[in-house]
């Protein structure tokens, strides 16, 4: 069963979805790729996963990301998408990476000479768990703010909140 609830953030309302204790989705209401609710969705804001998420979001928006644990994440997607989303989790707060850098990392991990940055862009764009899987930390090749399903103004706001250095191109070992 998929449980959902709406939460407030300084950037607007979001919808969260979970199965059991695992978060499966987090979308700004009305964003690109916002899911169509189904009869299988049950509004249940008292689920523990949503309480954990709200605590994490409160800490994140107050600049204390990392002071509480993330809820368990279980995004649904293809193996390729999941691998891209795992790489997104390696980008530390305050840093960014590019679609091309993610493509190079994926290619190296698979022993390939190259991989499509456009394919990476598609996977990044379809990230179902905004903010926690930090797709907003991916920028264009020259540091330009490109593509964000929640809107470029939200991407800019999240990067500003994190005091992101567009020249910081570091990933945690993973």
């Amino acid at each position: 069963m998929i449980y959902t609830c709406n939460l407030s953030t300084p950037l607007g309302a979001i919808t969260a979805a979970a199965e059991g204790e695992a978060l499966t989705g987090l979308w700004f209401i009305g964003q690109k790729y916002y899911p169509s609710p189904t009869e299988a969705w049950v509004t249940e804001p008292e689920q523990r996963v949503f309480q954990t998420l709200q605590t994490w979001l409160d800490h994140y928006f107050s600049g204390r990301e990392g002071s509480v644990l993330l809820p368990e994440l279980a995004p649904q997607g293809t193996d390729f998408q999941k691998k891209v989303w795992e790489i997104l989790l390696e980008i530390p707060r305050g840093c960014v990476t590019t679609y091309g850098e993610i493509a190079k990392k994926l290619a190296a991990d698979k022993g390939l000479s190259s991989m499509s940055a456009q394919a990476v862009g598609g996977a990044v764009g379809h990230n179902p768990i905004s903010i926690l899987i930090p797709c907003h930390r991916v920028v264009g090749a020259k540091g330009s703010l490109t593509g964000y399903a929640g809107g470029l103004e939200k991407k800019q706001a999240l990067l500003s909140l994190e005091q992101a250095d567009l020249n910081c191109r570091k990933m945690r070992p993973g």
Side-chain angles (χ1 to χ4, degrees), residues 23-27 72-76 126-135:
L23 189 68
T24 58
L26 186 64
W27 308 270
E72 180 183 342
L73 305 178
Q76 303 300 304
H126 283 84
N127 167 25
I129 304 178
S130 295
I131 306 172
L132 281 75
I133 299 178
C135 54

Side-chain angles (χ1 to χ4, degrees), residues 49-63:
V49 64
F50 298 139
Q51 294 171 3
T52 302
L53 171 62
Q54 184 65 66
T55 299
W56 189 92
L57 288 168
D58 290 345
H59 283 243
Y60 171 81
F61 281 107
S62 68

Side-chain angles (χ1 to χ4, degrees), residues 20-157:
E21 290 298 315
L23 189 68
T24 58
L26 186 64
W27 308 270
F28 286 102
I29 292 178
Q31 77 170 48
K32 191 175 185 179
Y33 310 122
Y34 187 83
S36 298
T38 69
E39 59 278 352
W41 286 27
V42 175
T43 301
E44 188 63 56
E46 297 304 315
Q47 291 289 315
R48 187 176 347 165
V49 64
F50 298 139
Q51 294 171 3
T52 302
L53 171 62
Q54 184 65 66
T55 299
W56 189 92
L57 288 168
D58 290 345
H59 283 243
Y60 171 81
F61 281 107
S62 68
R64 298 176 292 154
E65 178 184 5
S67 59
V68 295
L69 293 176
L70 280 171
E72 180 183 342
L73 305 178
Q76 303 300 304
T78 66
D79 289 343
F80 177 76
Q81 288 172 322
K82 288 177 182 178
K83 183 62 182 159
V84 170
W85 302 335
E86 287 173 16
I87 291 171
L88 297 179
L89 289 167
E90 298 173 11
I91 309 167
R93 182 184 181 111
C95 292
V96 296
T97 194
T98 66
Y99 301 97
E101 289 167 340
I102 293 171
K104 286 178 190 173
K105 181 171 177 47
L106 285 167
D109 290 350
K110 292 183 172 266
L112 302 172
S113 60
S114 66
M115 183 164 288
S116 167
Q118 286 181 311
V120 167
V124 170
H126 283 84
N127 167 25
I129 304 178
S130 295
I131 306 172
L132 281 75
I133 299 178
C135 54
H136 60 278
R137 294 178 186 158
V138 182
V139 298
K142 296 180 182 174
S144 60
L145 297 185
T146 60
Y148 185 65
L152 286 180
E153 68 285 344
K154 285 185 175 68
K155 181 174 190 162
Q156 175 68 50

